[in-house]
């Protein structure tokens, strides 16, 4: 059978070997409730048979070429499976990997179980560790607590030091929520100072149960979302606050996912992550028992593609059901998004967050729209400048050096006489002095 054209793009499977089972009870976690999908489950562990079936089928599902094959474990908390499970995975990986292909292994973890033995295995097998950390202790522990309600920050920081001691490469996944969303500088500086070289800022957004848009009264965003969800403008201020620090000192040294994705859009390369792509559907989620779902955020009965013990991953991921799922992101885009000047960079965001009405009363507006517009408007001149540098054969960090020079010149200008708080900033940013260099 001829495969659809979109099947020739790489397929990514997020593997959840313990399902939703975790040793933390984070207040904002959307996955813990997925236990309800399997009410008769007694042992939330992926079997050796399912692991081998997944690995063999996943390799076969990849398009031809020499691109590395990514194996990603998530949860729940995948380290609850223990070291022997991952040792078995490594043996199977070496057994089935085709000649000439490379693999990349990643593990997303809360860090609670990372002892020396874990770190040795991760280093020896070149795992990239994604560590969940929401900032300094008070901001991290606001929601990230264990089953007894005890804070987790100190234990996570022990793992940070252990990873560094063993030379394990790690990135940071920081959730942005109602509590830390007003502290971009504290969060960013903290993560930078502990040695993070790549940061994903994940906005916590969850619709209030039972609330749907529509009706005679248009609901405000804060009415539609849970109390821990980051507010739209709050998220916009957070990203712009982080960006203002990053653009002045860290371009080319520390990578932030949203900034990388924005630059990819501005340069015409297009987004790498599904959130900012025009269509989705090439990132699926595998549960502990072999059930394959359309997406990590849509592990729901209606989005169950099938089970890999009965049908191969390639057939499920390239099915008409999955193609329609991915296409729906484009088809359901509201008219206000279709004419938005930042559509090329956003494409309406993640479908899971499209639960607001537009000003015209039409459904499908992304909850974070206002904040994303704020962010894209703020970074536009810098993205234009970096794009020009790259197209001219330069490097993006040249913008950072130029910005420093402008600000140095601005300070010289300030010394020549006072500048009104509401006057255009002499550094040339286009913003008012009070919102630019004065603020620093």
């Amino acid at each position: 059978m001829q495969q659809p054209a979109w099947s020739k793009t790489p397929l990514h499977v997020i593997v959840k070997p313990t399902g939703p089972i975790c040793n933390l009870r984070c207040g904002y976690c959307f996955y813990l409730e997925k236990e309800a999908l399997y009410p008769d489950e007694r042992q939330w562990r992926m079997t050796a048979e399912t692991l081998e079936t997944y690995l063999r089928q996943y390799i076969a599902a990849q398009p031809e070429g020499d691109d590395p094959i990514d194996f990603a474990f998530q949860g729940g908390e995948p380290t609850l499976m223990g070291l022997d499970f991952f040792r078995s995975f490594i043996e199977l990986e070496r057994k089935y990997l085709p000649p000439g292909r490379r693999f990349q292994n990643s593990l997303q973890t809360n860090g609670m179980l990372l002892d020396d033995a874990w770190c040795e295995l991760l280093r020896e097998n070149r795992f990239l560790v994604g560590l969940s950390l929401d900032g300094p202790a008070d901001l991290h522990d606001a929601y990230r607590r264990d089953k007894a309600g005890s804070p987790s920050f100190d234990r996570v920081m022990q793992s940070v030091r252990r990873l560094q001691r063993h030379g394990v490469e790690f990135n940071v996944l920081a959730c942005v929520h109602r509590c830390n969303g007003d502290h971009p500088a504290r969060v960013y500086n903290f993560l930078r100072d502990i040695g993070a070289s790549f940061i994903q800022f994940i906005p916590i957004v969850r619709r209030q149960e039972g609330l749907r848009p529509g009706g005679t009264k248009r609901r405000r965003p804060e009415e539609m979302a849970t109390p821990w969800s980051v507010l739209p403008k709050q998220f916009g201020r957070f990203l712009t606050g982080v960006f203002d620090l990053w653009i002045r000192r860290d371009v080319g040294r520390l990578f932030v996912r949203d900034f990388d994705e924005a630059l990819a859009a501005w340069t015409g390369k297009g987004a790498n992550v599904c959130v900012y792509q025009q269509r989705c559907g090439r990132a699926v989620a595998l549960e502990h028992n072999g059930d394959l779902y359309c997406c990590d955020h849509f592990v729901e009965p209606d989005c169950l593609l099938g089970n890999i013990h009965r049908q191969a991953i390639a057939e499920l991921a390239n099915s008409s059901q999955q193609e329609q799922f991915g296409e729906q992101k484009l088809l359901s885009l509201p008219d206000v998004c279709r004419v938005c000047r930042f559509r090329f960079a956003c494409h309406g965001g993640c479908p899971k967050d499209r639960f607001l009405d537009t000003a015209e009363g039409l459904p499908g507006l992304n909850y974070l729209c206002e904040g994303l517009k704020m962010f894209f408007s703020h970074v536009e001149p810098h993205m234009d400048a970096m794009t020009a540098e790259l197209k001219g054969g330069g490097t993006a960090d040249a913008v950072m050096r130029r910005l420093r020079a402008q600000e140095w010149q601005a300070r010289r200008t300030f010394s020549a006489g006072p500048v009104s708080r509401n006057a255009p900033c002499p550094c040339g940013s286009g913003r008012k002095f009070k919102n630019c260099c004065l603020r620093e």
Side-chain angles (χ1 to χ4, degrees):
M1 182 178 69
Q2 186 175 5
Q3 295 291 344
W6 76 311
S7 69
K8 293 181 173 56
T9 58
L11 174 68
H12 185 63
V13 176
I14 296 173
V15 183
K16 297 178 174 289
T18 64
I21 303 304
C22 188
N23 49 359
L24 290 184
R25 284 293 181 269
C26 300
Y28 52 61
C29 183
F30 72 97
Y31 220 82
L32 294 175
E33 65 186 35
K34 300 304 178 182
E35 290 186 41
L37 288 173
Y38 304 96
D40 299 325
E41 190 65 77
R42 293 293 178 268
Q43 186 173 347
W44 295 84
R45 295 180 63 83
M46 179 173 283
T47 65
E49 180 189 6
T50 301
L51 176 64
E52 184 166 5
T53 300
Y54 146 71
L55 200 145
R56 179 168 40 81
Q57 292 184 7
Y58 180 53
I59 292 174
Q62 298 299 325
E64 294 181 0
D66 56 2
D67 290 336
I69 301 175
D70 293 313
F71 298 94
F73 292 92
Q74 200 167 306
E77 175 51 44
T79 58
L80 289 172
M81 292 297 297
L83 287 166
D84 286 344
F85 174 85
F86 284 92
R87 291 188 181 110
S88 297
F89 161 73
I90 292 163
E91 291 177 4
L92 290 169
E93 186 176 52
R94 292 168 179 165
K95 174 182 177 181
Y96 286 110
L97 194 69
R101 296 298 292 266
R102 295 173 293 127
F103 57 80
Q104 294 176 338
N105 297 327
S106 63
L107 176 74
Q108 183 63 44
T109 177
N110 57 37
M112 301 291 282
L113 299 178
L114 295 183
D115 58 13
D116 288 330
W118 266 108
C119 290
E120 289 172 9
L121 177 111
L122 295 170
R123 184 200 66 236
E124 290 171 2
N125 295 281
R126 300 192 304 278
F127 270 79
L128 172 62
V129 173
L131 194 67
S132 296
L133 184 58
D134 290 355
D138 58 319
L139 302 180
H140 174 90
D141 287 334
Y143 294 116
R144 299 192 66 81
R145 293 177 173 265
D146 63 20
K147 294 179 181 180
S150 300
S152 64
F153 177 82
D154 289 342
R155 285 171 284 180
V156 177
M157 289 307 299
Q158 289 175 8
S159 291
V160 169
R161 290 186 285 271
R162 193 171 288 118
L163 289 167
Q164 292 171 330
R165 189 165 63 248
H166 284 271
V168 180
E169 184 180 1
F170 73 94
N171 295 335
V172 172
L173 187 154
C175 292
V176 184
H177 43 73
R178 196 75 59 94
C179 182
N180 67 0
D182 289 330
H183 305 281
R186 283 191 64 206
V187 172
Y188 179 72
N189 288 334
F190 172 79
L191 298 179
R192 179 183 188 268
D193 291 346
I194 68 169
S197 58
F198 182 88
I199 304 172
Q200 295 183 62
F201 289 116
I202 306 297
I204 293 297
V205 176
R206 188 168 180 182
R207 180 168 56 189
Q208 284 276 23
E209 294 294 333
L211 284 184
R212 294 291 184 272
T216 57
K217 180 183 177 182
R218 187 186 180 208
R219 295 183 184 273
R220 298 192 302 273
E222 57 268 31
E223 295 177 309
M224 292 294 295
T226 56
W228 54 85
S229 295
V230 65
L231 296 169
K233 287 184 178 179
Q234 185 184 35
F235 187 60
R237 289 191 297 268
F238 183 92
L239 286 182
T240 56
V242 170
F243 184 86
D244 284 346
L245 295 171
W246 176 82
I247 194 66
R248 284 166 171 77
R249 66 188 191 191
D250 293 326
V251 180
R253 291 196 293 267
L254 195 159
F255 299 89
V256 179
R257 189 192 71 168
D258 293 281
F259 307 162
D260 289 349
E261 294 300 308
L263 185 58
W266 252 264
T267 57
K269 294 180 179 178
N272 295 302
V273 300
C274 55
V275 171
Y276 294 120
Q277 289 175 344
Q278 186 169 235
R279 296 172 177 83
C280 54
R282 299 307 288 169
V284 294
L286 182 68
E287 279 292 327
H288 66 293
N289 66 344
D291 283 348
L292 194 70
Y293 288 86
C294 293
C295 170
D296 181 34
H297 288 286
F298 289 88
V299 176
E300 302 166 356
D302 290 346
C303 294
L304 174 62
L305 295 169
N307 189 285
I308 65 172
H309 290 295
R310 294 186 290 273
Q311 197 171 358
I313 287 175
E315 295 177 19
L316 296 171
N318 297 328
S319 66
S320 59
Q321 178 186 351
Q322 182 65 359
E323 185 174 18
Q324 290 169 12
F325 173 84
E327 191 71 16
Q328 191 61 25
K329 179 178 182 180
L330 173 61
L331 297 177
S332 62
L333 197 64
D335 288 342
V336 67
C337 295
R338 295 179 186 275
V339 297
C340 176
R341 69 189 183 97
F342 294 123
R343 176 183 172 181
F344 73 99
C346 171
H347 291 295
C350 183
K352 79 174 181 65
D353 298 332
R354 293 183 182 179
F355 54 81
L356 295 185
D357 283 339
T358 67
E360 295 75 27
L362 299 175
L365 183 67
N366 194 299
Y367 169 85
L368 293 171
C369 177
E370 197 170 17
L372 291 173
K373 280 185 177 179
M374 181 189 302
F375 167 64
F376 291 132
S377 296
H378 183 80
V379 304
E380 185 172 25
H382 300 294
M383 291 296 163
D384 287 341
M386 283 192 279
T387 298
E389 283 288 346
L390 292 170
K391 290 185 175 180
T395 58
D397 61 353
V399 173
M400 178 175 63
R401 295 191 295 271
R402 186 180 301 115
L403 187 60
R404 284 178 175 173
Q406 289 175 346
E407 291 179 348
W408 178 79
Q409 181 60 43
R411 291 187 178 93
R412 292 186 60 188
T413 304
F414 300 158
S415 64
V419 178
S420 168
R421 286 171 52 83
N422 292 310
C425 188
C427 79
S429 67
R431 289 178 287 168
K432 293 181 179 179
F433 178 41
K434 67 181 180 182
N435 294 327
C436 192
C437 292
L438 179 63
R439 185 176 60 184
E440 300 182 359

